[in-house]
Amino acid sequence: MLKIEHIGIAVKDLSQSNDLFSKLFGKEPYKLEKVETEGVSTSFFMMGDSKIELLEATKPDSAIAKFIEKKGEGIHHIAFEVADICSEMKRLQNEGFTLLSEQPKKGADNKLICFLHPKGTNGVLIELCQEIKL
Ligand code: CMX
């Protein structure tokens, strides 16, 4: 793994949280993006070499809706950049971690992504992400 690519924060109301975090950071999000397959609306703030992603559920059965129902708003996942997601997935599977998809999926912000189950990582949901080269 190369670096922390972003930290994801689950929020109830993206528009209100964009205002709140814009005030906190002193800058606007550089991107707003809906990811239908994950059932989320997202925004991204550039924070030096890393990012903060805010996530609002767009469907009642999405991972973010379930998370907020159970735990409330807050840090949802930590995403790590990897150079080659397929080889990293194989490596982690061989190490005994539980991958939440067999293949990388298309995620927000032009990334291929894969999650690891938080039960195998001390209760922290980990995302691997690789930039899609255009
Ligand atoms: N961080 C830590 N623990 C989490 C968690 C999270 N984000 N989400 C769920 N859990 C915990 C639950 O609290 C539960 O713990 P207990 O068994 O102790 O109660 C356990 O994981 C299993 O949870 P569950 O309710 O049985 O299962 P869910 O249906 O909530 O699924 C998970 C959990 C992680 C498998 C699912 O949320 C998932 O597949 N996540 C990956 C995809 C995702 O999060 N997409 C949204 C973000 C997309 C993006 O970044 O663009």
Side-chain angles (χ1 to χ4, degrees):
M1 292 191 199
L2 300 173
K3 62 162 195 168
I4 294 179
E5 212 282 332
H6 66 265
I7 294 175
I9 299 177
V11 303
K12 287 183 183 161
D13 183 320
L14 189 64
S15 166
Q16 273 183 19
S17 295
N18 279 338
D19 289 347
L20 176 77
F21 280 84
S22 295
K23 271 189 214 145
L24 179 70
F25 297 146
K27 59 185 157 192
E28 302 285 314
Y30 69 88
K31 185 182 268 191
L32 303 178
E33 188 177 347
K34 220 173 194 173
V35 186
E36 294 289 352
T37 47
E38 296 290 329
V40 292
S41 280
T42 68
S43 63
F44 285 88
F45 292 82
M46 192 60 77
M47 305 302 296
D49 209 16
S50 307
K51 299 156 189 166
I52 295 291
E53 177 186 25
L54 303 183
L55 303 118
E56 179 197 76
T58 55
K59 300 181 210 162
D61 62 342
S62 77
I64 296 299
K66 282 190 190 171
F67 178 85
I68 288 181
E69 202 179 292
K70 211 164 181 178
K71 301 187 191 240
E73 293 176 298
I75 293 182
H76 177 259
H77 65 266
I78 303 179
F80 294 91
E81 185 178 311
V82 298
D84 178 344
I85 195 164
C86 292
S87 71
E88 198 63 1
M89 285 168 70
K90 266 187 215 132
R91 183 182 75 80
L92 293 170
Q93 202 159 29
N94 288 338
E95 294 281 9
F97 293 95
T98 307
L99 305 180
L100 289 172
S101 63
E102 280 181 20
Q103 299 295 328
K105 298 190 286 181
K106 172 88 176 64
D109 204 27
N110 195 39
K111 297 283 189 299
L112 288 174
I113 62 169
C114 177
F115 287 89
L116 307 186
H117 201 288
K119 286 283 167 199
T121 48
N122 285 176
V124 180
L125 179 60
I126 303 283
E127 178 185 348
L128 309 176
C129 55
Q130 180 193 327
E131 180 104 24
I132 300 171
K133 298 264 188 292
L134 296 173

